[in-house]
Amino acid sequence: MRLSFYSVSACTLASAVIASASSSIFNVANFESNDIIYRDVAVIGGGSAGTYSAISLKDKGKSVIVVEKKGRLGGHAETYLDPVTGTPVDMGVLVFHNITVVKDYFNRFEIPLNKADEFLTSEFYYDFRTGRPVSPTFTPSAEDVSAAFAAYMAQYSKYPGLINGTMLPSPVPEELYMPFGKFVEKYGTQAAIPSMYYFNPGVGDILSNPVIEQFRYWSSYMVGSVATDFLGPVRRNVSELYTRAEAELSSSSSLLLSSEVVHAHRAEGESAIKLVVRTPSGPKLIIVKKLVIAFPPKLDFLAPFDLSATEKTLFSKYIDTGYYVGLVKNSGLPKNASISNAAQYHTEFTFPYLPAAYSFAPSAIPGLQLVTYATGQTSKSLPLSDEAVKTNIINTIKRIQKQNPDRFTTTEPEFVVFASHAPYNLQVRSEDIRDGFYEKLYTLQGQRNTHWTGAAWKGEDSSLLWKYSEEIVVPQVMEGL
Ligand SMILES: Cc1cc2nc3c(=O)[nH]c(=O)nc-3n(C[C@H](O)[C@H](O)[C@H](O)COP(=O)(O)OP(=O)(O)OC[C@H]3O[C@@H](n4cnc5c(N)ncnc54)[C@H](O)[C@@H]3O)c2cc1C
């Protein structure tokens, strides 16, 4: 088809209008001078990786501005405080590895650490769909579990590029993208599976996950901490870290809470990044040399950013899970033992069907049960509504009570607090891993003055995200600043 002169001119005119409209969005003349924020670096997302990166850059003498969607820092770290006694219950992040970056970070905010509490092992298993008790058929000895983790580690250790990122050999060996269930059979690591599964809700179907997605969470650090000890804050209040970071960043005008980027312009060169941000006190224009994106890179979350074709293609590959937690009162469930969901004939490991509640466990506040709920992998960012999850949990408790009147009293359970952590555990499918997804992903680092950190880049592990941010991302951001 030949375009007429008229249609070419119309197209040219239209694109000129769009270009000038979009450049006027970022025009400094449209903003009051105190609504224009000049900094070295903007960090978008003030969860684990974003807060760490901002504090680290600030400590290295760089000016930063953190833009966080919620009204608080911390992301998946969330602490409920009993309104009467002030007793804290960490409902999200709880434990950390005994490594330098963790000790230095807590020490910087004068928060003492000690050995984390033992996790309560589940004493009772019920099928939460029926409320009936389940007898796990696969109960390996402690020796078998250790041997299975050793066999797992022998394979994991072949890939040094996993120590601080997800750097895979090229071409990617099939061993890394085959289903984890196949790996388990091949290397005889069955005895490690119940611990891996119940320790980390939110991974979806562990046996169908590609091996690398399992490796990303179950790192050598994680296996080491499970075998020895994790660290936790002495006061058992992880959010203290974030309230202190919040105070420090606010006092240097380096934090915009309850704020979101609505337009972004990224280019190469100095002062090349311009962001229009919606804040509670009106729109702001941020002009920075570098950008750090530290929230889950799902396409719908990135919509306001001017994504390149490569960014769009890569980020469209992500699937994730829904992970939800809450504290329930008046549950009638055991006060000193946790109960977990299981299904008698579902896989040799009696794993539950998802989506469902994973477990109920007593919390530090007498009478309040900590519940976790998870879905399988999905391409939707927010797979279930909070109301649907809460209703399902309450119905599950009532079902367990009704089926076991000799063990549990009939009560009216109620949520005291509830939190959605969806989307969780961003991962990609086997064929994408085979086709070099992770290698392509890492080529994005630094392009258009944009750097990336967070769980999608390393794994769902706060300690290792701090290590990755400190040792890889922050030095790259510092280059040329
Ligand atoms: C219930 C639970 C328990 C866990 N327990 C542990 C544990 O004990 N130890 C451990 O190491 N790890 C634990 N994890 C995993 C750990 O929380 C994550 O690995 C870690 O928080 C990921 O950090 P992140 O910075 O990538 O994401 P997040 O911590 O989720 O931070 C992302 C931030 O970005 C913000 N955001 C999202 N979109 C935007 C936007 N458009 N603009 C601005 N801001 C935005 C979010 O509000 C959030 O604050 C747990 C996770 C959950 C859900």
Side-chain angles (χ1 to χ4, degrees):
M1 188 184 83
R2 268 187 81 199
L3 289 177
S4 68
F5 171 75
Y6 172 77
S7 59
V8 170
S9 310
C11 288
T12 314
L13 186 64
S15 45
V17 169
I18 290 165
S20 81
S22 72
S23 55
S24 74
I25 292 171
F26 302 103
N27 192 338
V28 290
N30 294 339
F31 293 83
E32 299 287 330
S33 60
N34 54 3
D35 288 331
I36 305 174
I37 300 169
Y38 292 93
R39 296 286 185 277
D40 291 322
V41 186
V43 178
I44 316 300
S48 174
T51 304
Y52 183 90
S53 302
I55 293 289
S56 175
L57 285 162
K58 186 171 169 289
D59 286 350
K60 292 174 178 61
K62 301 301 163 196
S63 60
V64 296
I65 183 81
V66 177
V67 179
E68 165 56 47
K69 188 165 75 170
K70 290 189 180 163
R72 61 170 184 88
L73 292 179
H76 295 314
E78 189 163 14
T79 310
Y80 173 76
L81 295 176
D82 184 285
V84 179
T85 61
T87 305
V89 175
D90 280 320
M91 298 164 50
V93 180
L94 279 173
V95 293
F96 303 88
H97 303 308
N98 190 348
I99 56 176
T100 309
V101 70
V102 167
K103 291 184 278 193
D104 287 352
Y105 192 33
F106 278 95
N107 195 28
R108 186 197 180 287
F109 286 106
E110 298 176 348
I111 299 173
L113 291 167
N114 65 3
K115 175 175 151 355
D117 299 328
E118 295 280 323
F119 286 93
L120 280 174
T121 47
S122 198
E123 288 172 37
F124 304 107
Y125 291 86
Y126 287 85
D127 187 332
F128 288 3
R129 294 169 311 159
T130 62
R132 297 205 181 90
V134 170
S135 309
T137 44
F138 183 68
T139 51
S141 66
E143 291 74 32
D144 286 348
V145 174
S146 300
F149 270 111
Y152 170 91
M153 280 311 302
Q155 299 311 313
Y156 176 94
S157 311
K158 289 181 184 168
Y159 305 101
L162 296 177
I163 290 192
N164 218 0
T166 312
M167 310 296 183
L168 311 183
S170 178
V172 182
E174 191 185 346
E175 291 263 313
L176 289 178
Y177 59 81
M178 67 188 187
F180 188 58
K182 210 168 152 190
F183 172 98
V184 170
E185 275 172 30
K186 185 169 176 186
Y187 296 106
T189 62
Q190 286 85 348
I193 297 305
S195 312
M196 284 183 163
Y197 187 72
Y198 283 105
F199 185 84
N200 182 27
V203 292
D205 178 359
I206 186 174
L207 299 174
S208 71
N209 270 342
V211 170
I212 190 62
E213 297 301 349
Q214 197 60 18
F215 278 1
R216 278 177 359 101
Y217 179 79
W218 279 97
S219 62
S220 47
Y221 295 94
M222 184 60 79
V223 174
S225 294
V226 167
T228 54
D229 285 320
F230 285 95
L231 293 178
V234 170
R235 289 187 282 274
R236 301 294 181 256
N237 180 349
V238 170
S239 295
E240 262 189 309
L241 189 62
Y242 293 98
T243 45
R244 290 187 187 188
E246 201 173 302
E248 185 174 323
L249 291 168
S250 298
S251 69
S252 55
S253 304
S254 305
L255 179 60
L256 294 171
L257 289 174
S258 306
S259 299
E260 268 186 86
V261 173
V262 284
H263 299 288
H265 173 78
R266 296 173 297 150
E268 304 291 346
E270 279 215 358
S271 296
I273 310 253
K274 295 191 180 115
L275 307 169
V276 177
V277 179
R278 184 171 50 225
T279 81
S281 58
K284 310 272 178 213
L285 176 66
I286 294 178
I287 300 179
V288 287
K289 295 174 194 158
K290 301 244 186 164
L291 180 65
V292 175
I293 299 189
F295 60 81
K298 295 276 295 185
L299 276 189
D300 41 359
F301 290 10
L302 283 163
F305 290 81
D306 49 346
L307 294 187
S308 67
T310 312
E311 288 169 339
K312 268 187 198 153
T313 307
L314 289 172
F315 297 139
S316 69
K317 307 278 183 197
Y318 278 123
I319 52 175
D320 49 77
T321 61
Y323 186 7
Y324 312 82
V325 295
L327 286 170
V328 178
K329 70 175 179 184
N330 207 22
S331 71
L333 297 176
K335 292 193 168 36
N336 49 11
S338 62
I339 67 175
S340 295
N341 192 1
Q344 196 70 67
Y345 302 109
H346 185 211
T347 80
E348 61 182 299
F349 304 105
T350 58
F351 289 152
Y353 291 91
L354 299 177
Y358 243 62
S359 63
F360 296 95
S363 74
I365 303 173
L368 292 194
Q369 288 274 333
L370 184 64
V371 57
T372 54
Y373 184 103
T375 72
Q377 294 90 343
T378 162
S379 52
K380 291 184 192 166
S381 268
L382 302 163
L384 292 173
S385 74
D386 291 3
E387 280 318 305
V389 174
K390 284 161 86 172
T391 304
N392 187 297
I393 291 170
I394 297 293
N395 289 343
T396 300
I397 298 174
K398 289 186 168 178
R399 204 174 300 122
I400 296 171
Q401 292 175 348
K402 195 171 168 200
Q403 281 295 331
N404 308 279
D406 49 328
R407 287 181 169 180
F408 307 118
T409 43
T410 304
T411 60
E412 279 304 322
E414 237 182 276
F415 271 94
V416 172
V417 60
F418 177 86
S420 167
H421 293 275
Y424 190 65
N425 204 51
L426 267 59
Q427 61 173 81
V428 293
R429 297 181 171 87
S430 287
E431 58 270 27
D432 297 320
I433 296 165
R434 181 199 60 205
D435 295 345
F437 174 85
Y438 283 107
E439 192 180 352
K440 292 176 202 158
L441 186 70
Y442 279 91
T443 63
L444 298 182
Q445 283 290 21
Q447 275 186 25
R448 298 166 78 200
N449 288 307
T450 306
H451 299 259
W452 306 81
T453 185
W457 298 80
K458 172 64 197 100
E460 294 287 1
D461 183 322
S462 269
S463 310
L464 297 188
L465 285 173
W466 299 344
K467 184 172 157 59
Y468 174 67
S469 302
E470 180 64 29
E471 294 173 8
I472 308 286
V473 181
V474 168
Q476 288 176 357
V477 175
M478 295 283 292
E479 268 173 40
L481 275 187

